Amino acid sequence: MNIKKGQINIIISLVIIFFLIVLSKFGTQSVVASFNKSNPINLQEVPILNYHKVDILNHALSVSPREFEEQMEYLYQNGYHTITPDQLMAYLKSGKSLPDKPILITFDDGYLDNYTNAYPIMKKYGFTGTIFIVTNFISKDERFMTWEQIKEMQQNGMIFGSHTANHKSLTSLTKEQALDELNQSRDEIARQLGKPPKYFAYPTGTYSGEIEDMVRKTGYKAAFTIEYGQVGADSDIFLLPRIPIFKGQKTFRSFFIRLNGAPVLEELGIIKN
Ligand SMILES: [Zn+2]
């Protein structure tokens, strides 16, 4: 056979893309059949994207500004509407309607590039996002945003949640230390931004039943993991899954696959990591 490896790759890619187009027509429109105990309403699944850095560094957590813009443009042109965590909660708890093709865009850690690179692009498309900040890094470490930048973004509709005070895996701490991370970050955000944060993202994605309980008791209304998947009627609101968007050789293709295929492709073993 005289077919080059490159040609085989192209054929495989085309087959996957065809499969995804079919899937996106029927799959993501599917209604979750399971019922919420307190709220017997069929709920459509909602994707939550999870970014970290938006810059040109060769860093595993980075998406380049150009890639990020391509992704936002894709969402815009395909009729997606960004929503806030408040909208998501109202939807999950009481079935309050969401705009067509809702999507929640989140960022973890609070890197400076979220302000310098991601925020202007999101503004351009009229999108909003939610950023989980590590309060002891803010205005202290130059790789992260300042409170002034955060206040400006908040005034323009961006939402800020807690990602603890020091970004330690909560399961590696004592109960007292973990509680302190939750309280300290909540109090600092309340002091700086005028109201306590309602939402929380687990640093390094680690949690336990006990930690989930602490997050609830500290006053947070919902919490986000890095478990891969979309949110639906049967989601635990203190363990909300997200779709991580990382750097990749073909980031846009993997973005498209992740957005349209989650979580079916993962189950099929097509998407790893
Ligand atoms: Zn983090």
Side-chain angles (χ1 to χ4, degrees):
M1 291 290 275
N2 208 12
I3 304 173
K4 292 196 187 95
K5 220 178 169 188
Q7 286 173 306
I8 293 174
N9 281 339
I10 289 168
I11 292 165
I12 290 171
S13 297
L14 287 173
V15 170
I16 289 175
I17 286 169
F18 173 76
F19 173 58
L20 286 169
I21 289 168
V22 172
L23 194 72
S24 68
K25 284 262 182 297
F26 303 103
T28 57
Q29 298 301 321
S30 72
V31 169
V32 178
S34 57
F35 285 78
N36 190 323
K37 268 178 241 142
S38 59
N39 173 37
I41 300 169
N42 286 334
L43 295 178
Q44 192 187 358
E45 295 199 318
V46 178
I48 304 175
L49 302 184
N50 179 215
Y51 291 94
H52 286 79
K53 293 180 66 56
V54 178
D55 66 17
I56 53 167
L57 293 180
N58 189 20
H59 187 289
L61 295 176
S62 291
V63 169
S64 77
R66 198 177 58 80
E67 288 167 332
F68 184 74
E69 169 124 34
E70 268 176 14
Q71 294 167 1
M72 294 303 108
E73 192 187 359
Y74 172 86
L75 295 177
Y76 181 81
Q77 290 184 344
N78 286 277
Y80 282 90
H81 294 92
T82 55
I83 60 166
T84 63
D86 278 353
Q87 284 177 286
L88 180 68
M89 286 309 115
Y91 174 68
L92 291 175
K93 286 183 168 171
S94 50
K96 196 157 185 272
S97 66
L98 289 176
D100 274 353
K101 295 182 96 169
I103 191 162
L104 182 56
I105 300 178
T106 69
F107 299 83
D108 282 7
D109 304 343
Y111 294 102
L112 177 61
D113 57 61
N114 293 180
Y115 175 77
T116 53
N117 297 335
Y119 173 54
I121 294 168
M122 295 185 82
K123 258 207 306 205
K124 179 175 156 186
Y125 293 101
F127 286 169
T128 187
T130 302
I131 304 180
F132 296 100
I133 53 177
V134 181
T135 52
N136 280 350
F137 296 172
I138 302 302
S139 289
K140 285 178 189 150
D141 181 324
E142 62 185 15
R143 292 170 299 169
F144 296 86
M145 295 185 282
T146 66
W147 287 113
E148 287 64 40
Q149 291 162 342
I150 289 171
K151 284 172 194 164
E152 182 197 325
M153 293 167 91
Q154 191 188 40
Q155 280 161 13
N156 286 295
M158 298 289 282
I159 291 104
F160 291 87
S162 165
H163 198 40
T164 72
N166 296 294
H167 206 275
K168 298 256 166 53
S169 162
L170 293 178
T171 52
S172 72
L173 302 177
T174 65
K175 198 181 168 189
E176 289 68 33
Q177 288 169 329
L179 206 54
D180 197 42
E181 288 286 330
L182 296 171
N183 284 321
Q184 233 193 79
S185 56
R186 180 201 58 203
D187 294 347
E188 180 64 2
I189 292 173
R191 201 167 69 79
Q192 295 283 351
L193 303 182
K195 52 184 178 194
K198 291 194 217 166
Y199 304 104
F200 181 80
Y202 299 97
T204 75
T206 47
Y207 58 83
S208 64
E210 194 180 23
I211 284 163
E212 188 188 341
D213 219 41
M214 273 190 235
V215 171
R216 187 183 289 113
K217 285 179 181 151
T218 320
Y220 295 100
K221 304 294 179 220
F224 297 76
T225 67
I226 52 173
E227 304 283 317
Y228 183 64
Q230 305 202 45
V231 171
D234 52 358
S235 295
D236 178 339
I237 60 169
F238 282 89
L239 295 177
L240 293 169
R242 295 188 284 181
I243 301 169
I245 309 293
F246 294 131
K247 186 182 181 64
Q249 266 193 305
K250 297 187 177 69
T251 303
F252 184 76
R253 198 187 69 174
S254 71
F255 172 77
F256 181 83
I257 290 172
R258 279 166 180 260
L259 179 61
N260 291 291
V264 181
L265 291 178
E266 189 186 39
E267 282 166 18
L268 295 174
I270 292 173
I271 297 176
K272 296 198 170 71
N273 137 45

